[in-house]
């Protein structure tokens, strides 16, 4: 592969910065502190992204002092201290954390797609039963009796289904996570599939300007290999395109080969990788 030109590198960096911004908007933390250009995020360890430090602005305080401050914050919460490492950071910061005993965790691959080029599942019928602010169909039907239900808001029922699918049972999380979804400041498309009144698959689209982010794709193991995840992603992407979105992004943990195969078949391509440096504090 030929090296990128200066203009290509600049364009890539701007695109990464843009996606870092929209993904930060998409997933609020339960508590956030802005500290000298760093966001310290805490949500009782629901996810790495909402329980880590992100660099979003210019720093003026010496870095060792700032790391020590962050460690004290997470120690107060009796939580591991984690820092998000993305390609725009100086590599020396990652090396510095490694020397302090921080281990690499949760390597995540960001994928993007042009919504003009995606390959979506063909729907058979759509029903408009309930009105909503985005004029979404209530039900979208696919071959084989598969039906995706849509809502323009994240409902309590959807969250209960999500908790069942991702195994969230800790009381603090069941208390605070609904407020995190309620705090999303952008338009949302909540999708689910039910069998006998029970949610067996979920997905969430979050639109920010010309991008739609795909989040919370979960399918019950009893329903794997039935095309449910493909149907949910296809439905969200199509509706987002109708709402004016031009591009899509998603984040998948490295090693999740089944998810990567699905997303590539939909038209997503690898863009960049980020990870977390984490240390359990004494």
């Amino acid at each position: 592969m030929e090296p990128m030109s200066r203009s290509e590198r600049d364009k890539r960096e701007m695109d990464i910065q843009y996606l870092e911004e929209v993904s930060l908007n998409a997933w609020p933390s339960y508590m956030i502190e802005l500290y000298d250009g760093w966001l310290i995020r805490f949500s009782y360890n629901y996810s790495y992204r909402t329980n880590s430090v992100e660099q979003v602005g210019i720093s003026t305080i010496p870095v060792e002092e700032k790391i020590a401050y962050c460690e004290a914050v997470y120690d107060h919460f009796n939580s591991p201290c984690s820092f998000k490492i993305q390609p725009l950071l100086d590599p020396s910061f990652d090396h510095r954390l490694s020397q302090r005993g921080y281990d690499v965790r949760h390597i995540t691959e960001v994928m993007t797609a042009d919504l003009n080029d995606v390959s979506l599942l063909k729907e058979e019928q759509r029903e408009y039963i309930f009105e909503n602010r985005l004029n979404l169909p209530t039900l979208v039907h696919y071959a084989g009796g598969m039906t995706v239900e849509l809502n323009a808001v994240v409902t309590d029922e959807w969250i209960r289904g999500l908790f069942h699918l991702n195994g969230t049972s800790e009381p603090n999380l069941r208390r605070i996570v609904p407020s995190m979804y309620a705090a999303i400041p952008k338009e949302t498309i909540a999708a689910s599939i039910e069998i006998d009144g029970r949610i067996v698959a979920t997905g969430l689209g979050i639109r920010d300007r010309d991008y739609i982010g795909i989040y919370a794709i979960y399918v019950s193991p009893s329903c794997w290999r039935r095309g449910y995840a493909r149907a949910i992603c296809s439905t969200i992407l199509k509706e987002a395109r109708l709402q004016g979105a031009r591009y899509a992004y998603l984040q998948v943990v490295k090693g999740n080969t089944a998810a990567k195969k699905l997303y590539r078949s939909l038209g997503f391509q690898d863009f960049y990788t980020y990870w977390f440096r984490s240390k359990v504090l004494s």
Side-chain angles (χ1 to χ4, degrees), residues 149-172:
E149 181 176 341
L150 294 179
N151 203 308
V153 297
V154 177
T155 64
D156 292 341
E157 180 186 12
W158 187 92
I159 290 179
R160 286 193 295 269
L162 176 73
F163 284 165
H164 175 75
L165 293 173
N166 67 12
T168 299
S169 58
E170 205 277 321
N172 266 336

Side-chain angles (χ1 to χ4, degrees), residues 76-228:
H76 172 75
F77 289 125
N78 194 29
S79 171
C81 184
S82 300
F83 293 84
K84 183 178 178 181
I85 307 297
Q86 42 93 346
L88 302 184
L89 296 186
D90 188 326
S92 65
F93 183 72
D94 188 47
H95 180 66
R96 185 188 298 268
L97 292 177
S98 176
Q99 290 182 317
R100 291 177 68 100
Y102 282 76
D103 296 323
V104 173
R105 295 280 188 268
H106 207 72
I107 300 173
T108 303
E109 297 167 330
V110 179
M111 305 180 75
T112 58
D114 187 318
L115 290 182
N116 287 322
D117 300 328
V118 289
S119 178
L120 306 182
L121 198 62
K122 185 178 180 180
E123 64 185 53
E124 290 192 337
Q125 181 188 3
R126 50 180 47 205
E127 295 183 61
Y128 292 83
I129 302 174
F130 301 109
E131 293 184 0
N132 58 78
R133 60 190 174 90
L134 296 182
N135 195 34
L136 300 173
T138 306
L139 303 173
V140 180
H141 302 283
Y142 294 92
M146 182 166 48
T147 298
V148 176
E149 181 176 341
L150 294 179
N151 203 308
V153 297
V154 177
T155 64
D156 292 341
E157 180 186 12
W158 187 92
I159 290 179
R160 286 193 295 269
L162 176 73
F163 284 165
H164 175 75
L165 293 173
N166 67 12
T168 299
S169 58
E170 205 277 321
N172 266 336
L173 295 181
R174 295 182 74 92
R175 176 177 60 85
I176 70 161
V177 170
S179 68
M180 292 162 62
Y181 279 100
I184 295 172
K186 300 298 178 179
E187 292 180 348
T188 56
I189 303 174
S192 61
I193 294 176
E194 291 188 7
I195 295 179
D196 297 330
R198 179 172 63 91
I199 291 178
V200 296
T202 60
L204 182 65
I206 305 174
R207 184 182 165 201
D208 193 340
R209 287 157 279 184
D210 53 352
Y211 269 87
I212 182 75
I214 300 293
Y215 289 87
I217 301 296
Y218 290 98
V219 179
S220 170
S222 64
C223 299
W224 286 353
R225 292 180 291 277
R226 296 187 187 180
Y228 288 3

Side-chain angles (χ1 to χ4, degrees), residues 8 20 52 60 70 97 102 137 166 171 187 201 228 257:
E8 289 173 329
E20 286 292 295
S52 59
T60 60
C70 294
L97 292 177
Y102 282 76
N166 67 12
E187 292 180 348
Y228 288 3
T257 55

